[in-house]
Amino acid sequence: MASAPSPPRVPKPKGIQPSHYYESFLEKKGPCDQGYKKFWAGLQGLTISFYSSNRDFQPLEKLDLRTFVKLTDEAPRAGSRDPGIHFGLVLRDQEIKFKVESLESREMWKGFILTVVELRIPSKLTLLPGHLYMMAEVLAKEEARRSLETPLCFLKVSRLEAQLLLERYPECGNLLLRPSGDGKDGVSVTTRQTLNGAPVVRHYKVKREGAKYVIDVEDPFSCSSLDAVVSYFVSHTNKALVPFLLEEDYEKVLGYVDADKENGESVWTVPSAPDSEPGPAPPAGGSKSLPPVASSQDKLPPLPPLPPLPSQDDNYVTPIADAPAADYVNQDVSSSGCPVVPKPKKLAKAPAKPPKPPTVPKPVPKGNNRPLARKLVGGSPQAAFLATRPPPLGLGDVTAELQEKLQKRRALEQ
């Protein structure tokens, strides 16, 4: 029985070959290394990347040249045939030694490093015209790259905060760029140095004129970018001013060293990105389905329709009692921000029941009229209540009519 054919082998996806200003084999010896290690090295911007071979895409190590101090030539050992293929790179916090294949390679590495760090073509190296032309091209690329980015020593701090940072972290540098205090598009430069044990703080103004930055000194100097401003201060102070760098550089791509299954060489491997992010592990008792999560729109019930606005004819306040209420100037208190709609005065409400007609007293003899009237006025409780209580609506007219009839009757009796 023939075995099933194995599936075809899918080649691994290859990454994009990194582009460098200059690259070649380079042996490196760090402060903690016992001997030299050979790498394939490439210079791009202000970073030297080290690879295990020229076929790798991810570097094993990186060296930041922003803390560059100087380059040194290691003297050949006595009695050896060393043609001078060693040189040293001194950074702010460490010194690294290199060994190359030839004297020409050493001069090329030194020339490209000085070109990107100092933004100028070195003149004290043994270089051919072709080499100088290559460095001129690298210089133009590096100036274009830096013109599009902000220097790391530019911080959005005030003048006082800049002074405190330079005082608190002197090992991080003594030159700092910050926004201008006048609120315009310019920048300011703050420096801090020590003279005879006393700190010396200086502030310099850099004006923005179109696409140029003009350093406001006795002899104004125009720069094409902020990075060129930093280079001006560093180069014109004999490198006494060092750009302030507080944060460290961190990697953004996860990788690890793995053995190649074909040839057994150590290669730098970057894990492929999964289709979906891994979630939390299911519990030991089995996976439990979670209820569906409702969106915020599903949780909220539909809002009822708004009631129609009341008309002005119905904009009245219904009194609780039947008695007419007193009118006040500030009766309707409106909330702040809402206009006050004046309300018409409420008409007097007619009584629910008509008042009972008063009882007409029976005619009495002539001699008893005056005592009876006096008794009704001052003696009976009904008379006292009528005296204190205001007469109801229409009561005054009825009383006047009764008095008129009584007077007519008395006149007839007399």
Side-chain angles (χ1 to χ4, degrees), residues 195-248:
L195 179 62
N196 298 328
V200 179
V201 179
R202 293 288 183 267
H203 303 278
Y204 302 91
K205 191 173 185 179
V206 181
K207 300 178 181 179
R208 182 71 181 269
E209 296 182 358
K212 299 289 184 179
Y213 294 90
V214 180
I215 303 175
D216 191 9
V217 289
E218 293 182 353
D219 186 11
F221 188 82
S222 178
C223 301
S224 59
S225 63
L226 290 178
D227 194 83
V229 173
V230 177
S231 300
Y232 173 85
F233 280 90
V234 173
S235 60
H236 284 71
T237 57
N238 199 17
K239 299 183 181 179
L241 295 179
V242 180
F244 186 84
L245 301 176
L246 184 59
E247 297 182 355
E248 295 293 337

Side-chain angles (χ1 to χ4, degrees), residues 74-86 99-103:
E74 186 175 350
R77 299 177 182 177
S80 64
R81 297 180 180 180
D82 188 358
I85 58 176
H86 294 80
K99 185 170 66 172
V100 292
E101 298 176 344
S102 62
L103 178 61

